[in-house]
Amino acid sequence: LKYAFSAPEGSEQARIYRDAYQGIGVSYNDFNPQLGYPISVYLLQGARIASLSNRLGLNYEWNLGLTFGWNPYDEEENPDNRLIGSKVTAYIGLDLYLRWILSRHVDIELGVNATHYSNGNTQFPNLGLNTVALRLGATYYFNRHQAHIAHRYESLPPVEHSLNYDFVLYGAWRQRAVFEDGEPYMLFGKALVMGFNFNPLYRVNHWLKLGASLDATYDRSANLYYDVNYINPDATDMYRCPSAFKQMTLGLSARAEFTMPYFAINFGIGKNILNANDAFSGIYELLALKVSMSRRTFIHIGYSLNDFHTPQHLMLGMGWRFGKP
């Protein structure tokens, strides 16, 4: 079940971001007793990719939120659930669908949906869960005036090319696992992660910005080492923390940002240049959603990977925008 709103028909925003809508959604998931029957609450945004006729369009929609009510892994009570280790996870969804305008008030939609559930390494196990499904639905418009795709051939207003600078402070927590004799071993407790991004971006057109970023990270779980003569007084493992300097890194990344009303999706690929070994080696990837709070401030919700497959940590923080918004 979803509720969304869009810019008034004929407005400049409607001309630039054709058929764009944004809102909130809620869904109920019927999995199995091991996983549970969780409920997802999320933000959403979608828009038209292409017009196929006066009544038929190809659209996309993304979802981002939280899923509550999992039956998490428990060694004694629920050992069969080796995917989800927490009662709450992140929810990420992407839809690609055909939209047929049936009447002035009703659309019919047919497409595919892909979703991903993960807790961002805040608690193990965290193999995550992926689903692919058929999307079939109907949308009712309360005050739409036209029964066809609007602005199909209309020219866009000119874009103002500009440069802005986004500065982000973020923090998170994570759980770390190590391998002993080829077997994974979960370390006790949670570790602090925090950092910043300084990200100059050049506006290419209404929807795209390109730039680079200086990325700093401090990960309290990074580069731990085994010491047989040491016992952690708060746990039973024998892993020591190195100096704080060895748990810090600085990297450079290339960034691309897809901008829409109220939201921007930022993607980056980079390489660490300070302490670029062990936990900070390889190529890192960042995916973040920026939720505008004002012209100069935004909420930053992101996730970091290594080499496109190794989960790292969440990036939850605030951002400030300098220069031309």
Side-chain angles (χ1 to χ4, degrees):
L1 181 65
K2 304 173 183 179
Y3 178 80
F5 66 93
S6 58
E9 296 175 56
S11 66
E12 183 176 84
Q13 187 182 105
R15 289 172 58 201
I16 296 173
Y17 307 104
R18 297 175 177 178
D19 295 334
Y21 60 91
Q22 46 278 316
I24 58 174
V26 60
S27 64
Y28 169 77
N29 305 275
D30 186 351
F31 289 122
N32 55 46
Q34 289 75 33
L35 290 172
Y37 309 97
I39 293 175
S40 300
V41 181
Y42 51 89
L43 298 171
L44 63 92
Q45 187 172 62
R48 181 180 4 133
I49 300 172
S51 302
L52 306 180
S53 74
N54 285 333
R55 287 179 176 262
L56 185 65
L58 176 65
N59 282 42
Y60 77 89
E61 179 183 302
W62 59 257
N63 306 152
L64 178 65
L66 296 173
T67 302
F68 304 87
W70 294 98
N71 186 12
Y73 169 81
D74 185 274
E75 187 176 2
E76 296 181 356
E77 297 183 2
N78 192 22
D80 293 331
N81 176 10
R82 296 183 176 272
L83 301 178
I84 305 294
S86 57
K87 291 186 177 181
V88 180
T89 67
Y91 167 82
I92 302 172
L94 181 64
D95 292 65
L96 189 65
Y97 66 95
L98 294 171
R99 165 179 168 248
W100 177 44
I101 301 178
L102 181 65
S103 69
R104 185 164 70 93
H105 292 294
V106 178
D107 289 354
I108 302 297
E109 300 166 359
L110 175 65
V112 292
N113 162 267
T115 60
H116 174 67
Y117 303 90
S118 169
N119 64 34
N121 273 4
T122 57
Q123 189 168 340
F124 284 147
N126 184 44
L127 290 177
L129 176 66
N130 299 311
T131 69
V132 178
L134 178 69
R135 166 174 171 154
L136 176 62
T139 301
Y140 183 86
Y141 290 78
F142 293 97
N143 53 359
R144 186 167 64 183
H145 301 298
Q146 305 180 90
H148 59 85
I149 291 178
H151 319 300
R152 190 181 177 204
Y153 305 107
E154 197 169 76
S155 61
L156 296 177
V159 64
E160 183 179 354
H161 300 290
S162 59
L163 187 66
N164 69 262
Y165 307 87
D166 286 2
F167 181 74
V168 174
L169 286 174
Y170 69 85
W173 68 99
R174 65 173 300 180
Q175 191 170 13
R176 173 73 73 171
V178 295
F179 282 87
E180 290 186 3
D181 300 323
E183 294 295 326
Y185 171 69
M186 288 185 290
L187 298 181
F188 178 82
K190 305 293 192 300
L192 171 70
V193 179
M194 58 184 182
F196 72 81
N197 305 142
F198 179 66
N199 182 198
L201 289 165
Y202 176 74
R203 181 174 289 281
V204 178
N205 56 38
H206 292 293
W207 313 280
L208 179 66
K209 294 180 180 180
L210 297 177
S213 180
L214 179 66
D215 309 314
T217 304
Y218 171 67
D219 184 349
R220 188 63 177 161
S221 71
N223 295 328
L224 303 177
Y225 64 95
Y226 188 81
D227 185 347
V228 69
N229 297 315
Y230 169 79
I231 297 180
N232 186 335
D234 297 323
T236 57
D237 56 64
M238 298 181 180
Y239 285 87
R240 279 183 181 267
C241 283
S243 66
F245 177 76
K246 291 185 177 180
Q247 295 185 308
M248 297 179 183
T249 187
L250 198 65
L252 292 173
S253 62
R255 297 293 185 103
E257 187 164 294
F258 178 59
T259 62
M260 292 290 284
Y262 312 104
F263 301 103
I265 298 174
N266 188 287
F267 176 69
I269 300 178
K271 175 80 174 169
N272 288 313
I273 55 177
L274 175 67
N275 287 336
N277 50 36
D278 297 329
F280 299 126
S281 62
I283 304 297
Y284 65 85
E285 300 79 43
L286 306 170
L287 181 64
L289 175 69
K290 298 177 179 179
V291 184
S292 296
M293 303 301 291
S294 70
R295 286 174 58 86
R296 298 290 181 182
T297 61
F298 55 88
I299 295 173
H300 181 276
I301 306 168
Y303 194 56
S304 174
L305 295 172
N306 253 46
D307 296 327
F308 291 95
H309 65 83
T310 305
Q312 291 298 310
H313 53 79
L314 295 172
M315 304 168 68
L316 309 175
M318 285 292 299
W320 294 266
R321 183 164 291 128
F322 306 94
K324 189 75 174 179

